[in-house]
């Protein structure tokens, strides 16, 4: 009987330990150092500190509905009520969005950069891959409307987790933006976790996935199945430009293709020839900007668009 209890204790310890380990990887995914991101963007000439300093801007703290503060920067070089909001990916911060902001500044858009919860200067203890972040994005949108009025015209650009967050916001909370650009989102978080397990461990048992799910639920208060952009995108009517690198093996381009197929109405798809995950712009700048221009011309600035 004593051996049986010892064996059961060992099994329970293994299960609990594995659950804690897996949920740590999800909830507390290691972030890139803020200074590293800044220096990387400057070195790659995607950020010109002198030019950035000349843009009229205001740093703003915005309250999340979950009782922490989000750090945002409102940049307003133009008098028109035309804005772009930028949502960065996991482990990054708002500085990574500046390269995308520059594209839209050249096209006459004001901009909002902000840090997701637990990233950059924002508060918050865990990462939820869009589950809580979609409500934070709504808080950013609400602040924009409060400042500029209901008639403000705006789009949202998201990269990776930021793109998934954007799709969850638009499909589950409110389809409030006038258009969206989704760069390399995952279509379903459970599928993404399974893909990463296969990629790293070469196996992905369902029991391990269930264990990760329950551990995340107990510690982070959300379920993996609740993070499903493929379900949310079916409710989005506004135009979406989907972007993905064909060589991406972190989030497979097939996920973006599935999202594109599931999205009703106005949509466009750009598959970049070169680049790893979230590198479509860095490796295909001219094609990336051309895809945005084609999308804006067809769905946003045309008579049947804006």
């Amino acid at each position: 009987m004593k051996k049986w209890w010892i064996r059961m204790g060992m099994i329970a310890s293994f299960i609990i330990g594995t659950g804690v380990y897996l949920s740590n990887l999800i909830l507390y995914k290691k972030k890139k150092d803020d200074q590293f991101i800044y220096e990387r963007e400057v070195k790659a000439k995607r950020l010109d500190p002198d030019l950035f300093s000349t843009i009229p801007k205001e740093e703003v703290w915005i309250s999340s509905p979950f009782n922490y503060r989000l750090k945002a920067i409102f940049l307003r070089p133009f008098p028109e009520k035309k804005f772009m909001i930028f949502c960065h990916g996991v482990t990054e911060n708002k500085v990574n969005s500046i390269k995308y902001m520059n594209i839209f500044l050249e096209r006459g858009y004001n901009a909002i950069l902000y840090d997701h919860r637990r990233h950059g200067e924002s508060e918050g203890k865990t990462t939820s891959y869009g589950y809580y972040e979609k409500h934070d994005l709504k808080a950013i949108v609400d602040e924009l409307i409060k400042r500029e009025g209901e008639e403000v015209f705006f789009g949202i650009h998201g990269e990776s987790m930021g793109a998934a967050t954007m799709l969850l916001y638009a499909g589950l909370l409110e389809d409030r933006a006038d258009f969206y650009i989704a760069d390399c989102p995952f279509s379903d978080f459970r599928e993404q976790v399974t893909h990463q397990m296969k990629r790293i461990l070469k196996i992905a048992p369902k029991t391990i996935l269930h264990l990760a799910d329950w551990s995340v639920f107990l510690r982070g208060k959300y379920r993996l199945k609740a993070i499903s952009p493929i379900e949310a995108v079916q409710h989005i009517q506004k135009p979406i430009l989907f972007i993905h690198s064909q060589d991406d093996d972190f989030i497979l381009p097939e996920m973006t293709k599935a999202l594109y197929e599931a999205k009703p109405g106005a949509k466009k798809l750009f598959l970049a020839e070169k680049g790893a995950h979230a590198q479509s712009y860095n490796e295909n700048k001219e094609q990336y900007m051309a895809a945005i221009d084609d999308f804006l011309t067809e769905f946003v600035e045309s008579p049947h668009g804006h």
Side-chain angles (χ1 to χ4, degrees):
M1 180 65 71
K2 185 177 180 181
K3 289 183 179 179
W4 184 85
W5 279 109
I6 292 174
R7 190 175 296 116
M8 290 300 294
M10 291 174 64
I11 293 172
S13 296
F14 172 78
I15 291 173
I16 293 171
T18 302
V20 170
Y21 172 75
L22 293 172
S23 57
N24 278 345
L25 292 178
I26 294 171
L27 295 170
Y28 306 104
K29 185 174 176 66
K30 183 176 175 56
K31 298 172 292 182
K32 297 182 181 73
D33 179 75
D34 289 346
Q35 187 62 29
F36 165 80
I37 294 172
Y38 178 84
E39 291 176 358
R40 180 196 66 197
E41 295 303 297
V42 171
K43 183 177 180 180
K45 298 183 178 180
R46 296 188 289 262
L47 165 59
D48 181 337
D50 293 331
L51 180 60
F52 185 76
S53 68
T54 66
I55 303 173
K57 65 180 70 64
E58 179 184 356
E59 296 190 4
V60 182
W61 286 101
I62 296 173
S63 296
S64 163
F66 304 107
N67 298 318
Y68 50 80
R69 298 184 304 163
L70 302 164
K71 182 59 175 294
I73 303 177
F74 281 64
L75 300 102
R76 210 184 195 293
F78 307 111
E80 293 80 10
K81 293 189 176 186
K82 192 163 75 166
F83 282 79
M84 281 296 296
I85 299 172
F86 298 92
C87 306
H88 65 78
V90 69
T91 78
E92 296 283 346
N93 64 25
K94 59 184 175 294
V95 172
N96 186 59
S97 299
I98 289 175
K99 58 180 177 285
Y100 302 122
M101 178 196 75
N102 291 336
I103 297 173
F104 284 89
L105 287 181
E106 292 175 359
R107 286 152 181 79
Y109 285 79
N110 298 300
I112 301 173
L113 306 171
Y114 79 100
D115 292 318
H116 288 300
R117 58 185 269 146
R118 192 184 159 260
H119 287 74
E121 298 178 82
S122 288
E123 300 170 350
K125 296 180 179 179
T126 61
T127 294
S128 70
Y129 304 87
Y131 183 79
Y132 293 117
E133 288 84 355
K134 65 180 181 286
H135 295 281
D136 292 344
L137 175 54
K138 184 180 184 303
I140 301 295
V141 171
D142 289 346
E143 180 67 20
L144 171 62
I145 294 172
K146 176 184 174 183
R147 288 166 171 258
E148 301 295 333
E150 289 287 343
E151 70 277 12
V152 64
F153 180 84
F154 70 98
I156 304 176
H157 178 290
E159 177 190 273
S160 193
M161 182 190 80
T165 295
M166 177 190 73
L167 295 174
L168 292 168
Y169 156 78
L172 300 181
L173 300 183
E174 57 178 12
D175 191 0
R176 181 63 179 80
D178 293 277
F179 64 93
Y180 307 93
I181 298 177
D183 188 333
C184 62
F186 56 80
S187 56
D188 182 272
F189 192 57
R190 287 174 301 180
E191 289 186 17
Q192 178 60 16
V193 171
T194 299
H195 169 63
Q196 289 304 311
M197 288 169 62
K198 289 179 179 177
R199 180 170 169 262
I200 298 169
L201 305 175
K202 309 303 180 187
I203 57 171
K206 288 186 177 180
T207 52
I208 298 296
L209 184 64
H210 290 320
L211 185 58
D213 186 21
W214 275 105
S215 187
V216 166
F217 176 67
L218 291 172
R219 302 178 71 200
K221 306 303 184 219
Y222 66 90
R223 300 296 297 270
L224 304 187
K225 67 180 180 181
I227 310 170
S228 183
I230 194 72
E231 295 183 10
V233 77
Q234 300 173 52
H235 305 292
I236 303 175
Q237 297 300 318
K238 301 290 180 55
I240 302 179
L241 170 61
F242 294 94
I243 298 173
H244 216 116
S245 297
Q246 298 187 67
D247 294 337
D248 190 345
D249 64 352
F250 185 80
I251 295 179
L252 298 177
E254 282 70 26
M255 285 196 161
T256 280
K257 293 176 185 177
L259 287 164
Y260 173 79
E261 292 297 329
K263 168 37 175 113
K267 57 188 175 183
K268 211 167 184 68
L269 175 64
F270 168 57
L271 296 174
E273 291 184 9
K274 299 180 292 182
H277 181 60
Q279 297 298 308
S280 292
Y281 173 73
N282 295 340
E283 299 293 332
N284 310 267
K285 290 184 180 179
E286 296 303 320
Q287 297 93 327
Y288 195 102
M289 291 188 288
I292 288 177
D293 285 333
D294 290 345
F295 171 73
L296 294 177
T297 298
E298 183 173 356
F299 294 114
V300 180
E301 297 166 355
S302 64
H304 63 276
H306 176 37

